[in-house]
Amino acid sequence: MKPNKILVLFLLLISVNLFAQPKREQLKSLKVAYITDQLQLTSDEATKFWPLYNAFESKQKELRQDKLRAYMDRLDGGEVEKMSDKDALNFLNQMENTEEEIYQRRKKFITNLKSVLAPVKIIKLKRAEEGFNRKLLKQYRDKFSKD
């Protein structure tokens, strides 16, 4: 590849990332507002809740990016057809371990929340997260069904 093409590609990737960053921040702000509203958090609850939630989300995002994306790349890359049974079993075990880690992190997060929120609000959190995701998906579908 010529140096000019590499430079153009590099600049294109940087510009796409710069435009995506404000959207991520805007999306995060919308999620914070939605969850705060749905849970009807008091200012004291919000002060204690959001650091826990943000730390949990950050760890989950890291896990999804590091491990689950690597699994999906292997599955999409055609490696499955080339795997021996031993390799496939090893791969399944890795996937199970990752799912278990996700579950354990969620469980620990809920345990930590019990000292901050009433149990009803913890249940409402799950509903609020799912509601926000449904709302986001609906807007996405509506946007692209019009095109």
Side-chain angles (χ1 to χ4, degrees), residues 38-132:
Q38 293 295 305
L39 298 183
Q40 298 176 336
L41 295 176
T42 65
S43 60
D44 185 47
E45 287 173 331
T47 302
K48 294 174 184 173
F49 169 77
W50 285 111
L52 288 173
Y53 187 83
N54 291 335
F56 170 74
E57 283 284 297
S58 176
K59 288 178 185 175
Q60 292 294 84
K61 180 181 177 187
E62 181 182 303
L63 184 63
R64 284 189 299 266
Q65 285 179 339
D66 290 348
K67 293 184 179 178
L68 294 179
R69 185 173 292 158
Y71 296 154
M72 294 310 294
D73 289 346
R74 286 182 72 184
L75 291 174
D76 293 342
E79 285 188 43
V80 175
E81 285 77 21
K82 299 173 188 173
M83 283 184 184
S84 68
D85 283 345
K86 183 179 176 182
D87 291 338
L89 185 59
N90 196 14
F91 187 63
L92 280 173
N93 288 334
Q94 290 173 352
M95 290 172 51
E96 288 173 350
N97 290 339
T98 300
E99 291 296 327
E100 178 66 24
E101 189 175 349
I102 289 170
Y103 169 75
Q104 291 300 328
R105 285 183 180 188
R106 182 89 182 164
K107 192 173 174 179
K108 182 178 178 186
F109 171 63
I110 290 171
T111 299
N112 291 339
L113 282 181
K114 289 178 183 177
S115 66
V116 175
L117 297 177
V120 170
K121 287 191 178 185
I122 296 172
I123 293 168
K124 286 181 179 183
L125 171 62
K126 180 70 174 160
R127 187 174 68 188
E129 289 173 320
E130 290 173 0
F132 182 79

Side-chain angles (χ1 to χ4, degrees), residues 10-25:
F10 179 71
L11 291 174
L12 179 65
L13 289 172
I14 289 174
S15 64
V16 166
N17 192 31
L18 289 176
F19 285 112
Q21 195 63 31
K23 288 190 179 191
R24 275 190 220 126
E25 291 302 317

